[in-house]
Amino acid sequence: MRKRTYPKLFSLLAVFVLAVGLVLPLSPQTAHADRGVVDLWKAIKPLTTIASAMNTGAHPDDEHSAMLAYLALGLGVDTSSIIANRGEGGQNEIGSELNQALGIIRTRELEEASKVTHVKLGILSEDMDDPIYDFGFSKSPDETLSKWGEEVVYERLIRKIREHRPDVLIPAFLDVPSTHGHHRAINVITVRAFEDAADPAVFPQHREQGLSPWQVKKLYVPATEKDYDVRVPVGEYDEIYGASYLQLGEESRFMHKSQGMGRHYDEGPSYSYYKLEKAAAGAEGPDFFAGIAYTFKDLADEVRKTPGGGKLAADLDRLQKDADEVIAAYPHFARVAEKVHRMLADVLQTKAAVQASSLGADAKRDLLHRLAVKEEQLNKASAESLSLVAKVKPESGELVAGQKTRVTVSAYNGGTVTWDQVTLGLNVPAGWSARPLGETRIRQLGYNQWARAEYEVTVPADAAYFHPYRPPAVTADVEVTAFGATSVTRAVPADPVAVLPGFALAASPSATVWNTLKPEEAIPVKVTVKNYHPGKADAQIALDLPPGWAAEPKSAPLTFAAKGETKSAAFTVKPSAGVKPGSYAITAVARGNGKESRHGAQLIRYPHIGTTYFVQSAAVTVQAFDLKVPEGLKVGYVSSGFDNIDQYLQQVGVDVTLLGAKDIESGDLSQYDTIVLGIRAYGFRPELTASNARLLKYVEDGGNLVVQYHKPEDNWKPELAPYPITIGTPLIQWRVTDENSKVTMLAPDHPIFQTPNTITDADWDHWVQDRSAYNPAQWGDEYVELIKNGDPGEKEFTGTFLTAKYGKGTYTYSSLVWYREIPALVPGAIRIFVNMVSLGQ
């Protein structure tokens, strides 16, 4: 096949923001220098094409950002990004949130990243604890699809394809052994979906949801410079935006801050490469859209060939003329607004003509879908060209069930066109009520004028709590009539309107160990309560305990003077006699104002994603097992910010001090029996490399240094260890992903397996999400290899857990994923870790 570089149709930018139905949300955003004429161009460029494309990936940050920026911003193509899971199983480089809370952060980052590249976002994972979750690294697409539920994930992907109806489909990865199993799985089902999305026998229930089969025209897969069919010039520099598409793509990648994404690229030629994998009949051309209708003129030519299609073809030709006139009017706002509204009226007339035509059902559906996309884009273009600022402001975004509040909807006219009419509507969930407190329709609104409407909103007594993956609960629709046509702009609040527990509870600790060797010890539980009621409130706080357990006091009264006030109650919990090893739950309960609450509301707030909440059960997980901890054990912990193991060591009776830069550079290290470096610490604590000689001298003088896993890019050098340790590459090949894989202790009599806790094979049971990551490939003969372990059917690693005497002390390097096992309260992992940090005594 002939190789071809993409033609530069227009060296300009376009935007398509995430739409709900036929209405585009206009989110409040920080003002930037690229507003005004730049935003106007972004809004009108998509009117020039009716083509569409979809990129599929597994995790937030998998999207091909530069290519998406080129398609959506540069060509104006209706572009979508479909991601499988929410990244719950990853690490967090900006905070301590993990698991579901991390999934919330990564979802918001993905949403903000999609705004930058102006693509429609779809996520296959629909809920908390969804079957399509990020369960950690996988080496196999079969394992991934088995855990996700192949039927579940495939149905949802087919549904997204039938909803978005892309002309071109592009999986982000190949199905090759060197690639993450999640990535491979998405490739497998995306390639299969090329045919199946068009097959009415595949998921026929979609018909009941109003979705019809859809035949994608072309399927492309990632390629290399040496073997490709399409070369996308992502390095092209756009004069209006002042950046290349590669740089614009990286702007979106910088939004993935919890993963440390985003790079700075210099200007200059750069390309992304793709190879044609499959094509429908008649669409075999040499680039993404060759052989596919790209403009309204192309669509008109196709329709003109159908019986009775002449009139519709003329309508489509008129839309092509409208789009050309909109572009020609740029950058004059009033002229663009007039042309946009004329085109909007013509789109609505064409939709009616299609409905009334004798075209076949499939042809009608295709035309109506493309016209609906244009209507969405024209709504956005109207808002930009009219300089409409639409806002919705609640008195408070934090509500409780049964509460009444007021919400103001406003529209500001910043342009020279006088609007004939403005209607300010408020949207609330089913069961809620929104009563206007005055006029909602205003006749004529001129330059520098505001229109406002106030609503009284009532939240029902049985309203569901806030869910971060649901659409906004409260939005506003601002309808503006100008030049004989009415556009609709949807506004969302700056922060979400969230129904929260009236008394939001946080139990501390959220997870703890109860040592069965010390049955006389009690479990301290602190319950912090925040009042979200809109005024004074009284509550009785108690603990829901396992049978036979007791709490002192049985309950505690709390009185709140105002909303937002926070108070706490302390309890001492005594387990019943003869508690057996196992997992137990303690749940905090608040009763007051006629209701009972058992939930907390974790506030998640970062500058790049704004505010959101994680409503979850206010429970304490108690893991009961036997654990020996040496008296007076003193540990210095060097955190990279990626784990909280130090907190769990403190819970089990270890004296832990977090070490700062000055402690490492010049402090008295000899006061610590053990110093522990958190995962990837050399990469995020620069003082460690500079002070490494001090750390090795600490070991040589009798100290115990424990180093957790690193990647090569974490400033790791083999010589940082007293005897060289080289981390294996490629990293994908040097990890064990099966948490149930067999572990053999190679040195069972070593103190790490004997003192103070005797470690048996049972201590390797019930681990979670992987065994090890980034294992060493080479190490000095001085090290004792403590275990061997590998995924089933693969070679076992013997460098996962290494320890050596150095001078009078001990140096231990471990690639076991302690940062997941310890917070999960895995008994064996805690026992081994305590033994490891006890070597210094």
Side-chain angles (χ1 to χ4, degrees):
M1 179 176 287
R2 179 168 61 95
K3 297 178 181 178
R4 177 172 172 178
T5 300
Y6 240 113
K8 185 176 181 181
L9 300 185
F10 291 92
S11 180
L12 296 167
L13 293 175
V15 63
F16 195 121
V17 297
L18 187 62
V20 178
L22 297 181
V23 184
L24 286 149
L26 186 64
S27 302
Q29 296 181 354
T30 303
H32 295 289
D34 63 353
R35 59 193 183 274
V37 292
V38 175
D39 283 346
L40 177 63
W41 177 257
K42 295 177 191 176
I44 64 174
K45 183 62 174 71
L47 304 178
T48 64
T49 176
I50 50 90
S52 57
M54 175 182 287
N55 185 208
T56 62
H59 317 94
D61 91 338
D62 282 353
E63 61 270 26
H64 282 197
S65 305
M67 181 269 292
L68 292 174
Y70 181 79
L71 292 181
L73 298 176
L75 302 184
V77 167
D78 178 26
T79 309
S80 56
S81 173
I82 306 300
I83 301 299
N85 64 47
R86 298 176 184 270
E88 307 94 332
Q91 300 172 14
N92 186 354
E93 296 194 9
I94 60 173
S96 60
E97 298 90 349
L98 290 174
N99 303 316
Q100 296 291 0
L102 177 58
I104 294 171
I105 290 173
R106 291 195 172 179
T107 297
R108 284 290 300 116
E109 290 177 335
L110 180 59
E111 290 169 348
E112 293 301 316
S114 299
K115 290 179 184 178
V116 175
T117 49
H118 301 286
V119 304
K120 297 176 180 177
L121 174 63
I123 303 179
L124 303 185
S125 175
E126 297 175 347
D127 209 339
M128 301 289 184
D129 298 315
D130 196 274
I132 307 173
Y133 68 104
D134 182 3
F135 57 83
F137 195 87
S138 171
K139 296 178 181 177
S140 162
D142 294 336
E143 178 200 30
T144 299
L145 294 174
S146 174
K147 288 192 173 185
W148 285 351
E150 186 167 352
E151 185 83 354
V152 172
V153 67
Y154 197 46
E155 183 275 327
R156 293 183 188 176
L157 176 61
I158 295 289
R159 183 167 12 121
K160 292 296 183 186
I161 291 173
R162 289 172 174 173
E163 286 174 352
H164 292 277
R165 300 167 73 89
D167 295 316
V168 176
L169 191 56
I170 311 166
F173 297 94
L174 296 172
D175 177 22
V176 293
S178 61
T179 301
H180 193 321
H182 295 183
H183 299 162
R184 296 177 65 185
I186 291 301
N187 172 279
V188 168
I189 62 174
T190 301
V191 170
R192 193 194 315 162
F194 180 82
E195 282 90 12
D196 283 354
D199 187 346
V202 176
F203 305 118
Q205 67 269 30
H206 287 176
R207 289 278 191 184
E208 301 172 7
Q209 303 167 16
L211 297 176
S212 300
W214 172 248
Q215 179 59 68
V216 178
K217 308 301 187 301
K218 292 183 178 181
L219 173 72
Y220 284 88
V221 295
T224 66
E225 183 179 4
K226 296 180 179 179
D227 184 20
Y228 67 88
D229 294 317
V230 171
R231 186 174 75 162
V232 181
V234 296
E236 282 192 355
Y237 191 86
D238 189 291
E239 295 174 325
I240 288 182
Y241 209 84
S244 70
Y245 300 110
L246 176 61
Q247 291 169 328
L248 294 170
E250 287 304 305
E251 271 190 39
S252 79
R253 299 197 71 74
F254 275 112
M255 289 298 173
H256 296 291
K257 294 185 185 300
S258 68
Q259 302 184 70
M261 291 292 154
R263 296 175 59 186
H264 294 284
Y265 286 96
D266 287 334
E267 295 73 13
S270 181
Y271 301 91
S272 296
Y273 300 93
Y274 298 91
K275 195 167 185 63
L276 182 65
E277 185 84 356
K278 298 182 179 182
E284 297 88 354
D287 60 50
F288 278 166
F289 302 106
I292 298 173
Y294 189 80
T295 64
F296 274 114
K297 180 183 183 304
D298 297 334
L299 209 54
D301 291 343
E302 289 184 358
V303 171
R304 195 172 282 112
K305 298 173 185 176
T306 63
K311 174 62 172 65
L312 277 180
D315 292 338
L316 295 171
D317 281 331
R318 185 174 67 248
L319 292 178
Q320 179 67 59
K321 181 174 180 291
D322 288 340
D324 293 342
E325 290 180 352
V326 170
I327 297 298
Y330 178 81
H332 303 286
F333 281 77
R335 275 191 254 165
V336 170
E338 180 181 3
K339 303 299 183 182
V340 162
H341 279 248
R342 178 185 296 172
M343 185 173 182
L344 178 58
D346 288 344
V347 163
L348 296 176
Q349 291 176 13
T350 305
K351 284 175 67 176
V354 171
Q355 290 280 21
S357 74
S358 59
L359 287 179
D362 288 342
K364 276 189 178 183
R365 273 189 290 268
D366 182 51
L367 283 174
L368 289 173
H369 172 79
R370 295 181 193 275
L371 290 169
V373 170
K374 279 293 159 282
E375 187 178 350
E376 294 171 349
Q377 295 169 347
L378 286 160
N379 280 323
K380 173 62 177 175
S382 168
E384 292 295 344
S385 59
L386 292 174
S387 297
L388 162 64
V389 179
K391 296 182 179 181
V392 53
K393 292 183 178 181
E395 279 183 331
S396 171
E398 298 175 335
L399 307 175
V400 299
Q403 181 179 345
K404 288 186 177 181
T405 191
R406 292 193 176 192
V407 178
T408 301
V409 181
S410 61
Y412 171 78
N413 186 347
T416 59
V417 175
T418 298
W419 307 343
D420 298 326
Q421 184 171 277
V422 183
T423 303
L424 306 172
L426 189 68
N427 309 305
V428 295
W432 294 36
S433 69
R435 181 173 65 88
L437 300 177
E439 290 295 323
T440 61
R441 183 172 298 173
I442 297 90
R443 293 190 61 82
Q444 288 201 335
L445 196 71
Y447 167 70
N448 211 24
Q449 291 182 336
W450 282 96
R452 293 184 176 87
E454 194 171 33
Y455 286 82
E456 181 184 72
V457 173
T458 302
V459 183
D462 60 351
Y465 289 143
F466 174 80
H467 194 303
Y469 301 156
R470 300 286 180 265
V474 174
T475 62
D477 284 344
V478 176
E479 299 180 9
V480 173
T481 301
F483 302 107
T486 300
S487 64
V488 185
T489 298
R490 177 156 293 175
V492 299
D495 288 323
V497 173
V499 177
L500 303 174
F503 299 108
L505 307 161
S508 177
S510 59
T512 191
V513 170
W514 189 67
N515 195 341
T516 57
L517 297 180
K518 298 180 179 180
E520 73 283 357
E521 291 189 354
I523 302 171
V525 176
K526 180 181 179 181
V527 180
T528 301
V529 186
K530 185 171 184 178
N531 175 39
Y532 280 108
H533 293 93
K536 296 180 179 179
D538 297 320
Q540 286 287 333
I541 312 302
L543 299 178
D544 189 352
L545 302 168
W549 292 32
E552 181 61 38
K554 290 184 177 180
S555 67
L558 294 178
T559 298
F560 300 91
K563 178 180 180 177
E565 189 175 1
T566 299
K567 293 189 175 183
S568 62
F571 298 86
T572 301
V573 176
K574 192 73 172 66
S576 58
V579 169
K580 296 180 180 180
S583 183
Y584 301 87
I586 299 170
T587 303
V589 183
R591 297 180 176 91
N593 281 31
K595 293 187 178 180
E596 177 181 284
S597 174
R598 293 170 174 259
H599 289 80
Q602 179 182 349
L603 175 67
I604 298 175
R605 178 181 289 157
Y606 289 96
H608 66 303
I609 61 173
T611 299
T612 188
Y613 305 88
F614 179 23
V615 178
Q616 58 185 320
S617 173
V620 178
T621 300
V622 180
Q623 188 70 43
F625 64 95
D626 60 283
L627 177 66
K628 297 177 182 177
V629 181
E631 292 292 333
L633 179 60
K634 192 172 183 181
V635 172
Y637 202 95
V638 182
S639 175
S640 58
F642 295 164
D643 69 72
N644 53 3
I645 290 175
D646 57 294
Q647 299 174 24
Y648 292 91
L649 291 177
Q650 288 176 326
Q651 282 185 22
V652 300
V654 179
D655 180 3
V656 180
T657 301
L658 286 174
L659 302 183
K662 289 185 178 179
D663 299 316
I664 295 164
E665 293 166 346
S666 58
D668 178 15
L669 302 181
S670 65
Q671 63 182 299
Y672 302 106
D673 298 309
T674 298
I675 293 175
V676 179
L677 305 189
I679 57 172
R680 307 181 62 192
Y682 280 97
F684 295 86
R685 297 291 296 270
E687 68 274 15
L688 286 176
T689 302
S691 302
N692 194 65
R694 292 195 82 235
L695 293 173
L696 294 183
K697 185 65 168 62
Y698 159 79
V699 179
E700 190 175 14
D701 291 342
N704 180 35
L705 182 63
V706 173
V707 180
Q708 298 180 68
Y709 78 69
H710 282 72
K711 296 181 180 181
E713 60 263 33
D714 295 327
N715 297 321
W716 179 262
K717 300 290 186 294
E719 57 271 20
L720 290 173
Y723 315 109
I725 294 177
T726 301
I727 299 168
T729 56
L731 298 177
I732 188 174
Q733 297 177 8
W734 294 88
R735 59 194 306 160
V736 180
T737 63
D738 185 349
E739 60 270 24
N740 298 311
S741 55
K742 178 177 173 53
V743 177
T744 301
M745 291 181 284
L746 299 175
D749 295 330
H750 192 281
I752 277 182
F753 296 138
Q754 293 295 330
T755 306
N757 300 282
T758 301
I759 304 304
T760 69
D761 288 342
D763 287 295
W764 301 99
D765 294 340
H766 310 299
W767 284 46
V768 299
Q769 194 173 325
D770 301 347
R771 287 286 193 195
S772 61
Y774 319 125
N775 285 305
Q778 294 179 316
W779 53 91
D781 294 337
E782 296 86 351
Y783 291 101
V784 175
E785 299 165 359
L786 293 170
I787 67 170
K788 67 176 180 178
N789 171 240
D791 281 319
E794 297 184 3
K795 181 181 177 180
E796 292 185 298
F797 299 112
T798 58
T800 298
F801 202 1
L802 302 170
T803 190
K805 296 298 293 182
Y806 181 67
K808 299 177 182 178
T810 305
Y811 181 96
T812 301
Y813 187 95
S814 172
S815 298
L816 291 164
V817 288
W818 304 110
Y819 83 103
R820 291 206 178 277
E821 311 309 319
I822 304 298
L825 303 180
V826 176
I830 294 174
R831 287 194 187 100
I832 299 169
F833 204 95
V834 168
N835 284 9
M836 184 167 57
V837 299
S838 299
L839 291 177
Q841 274 204 327

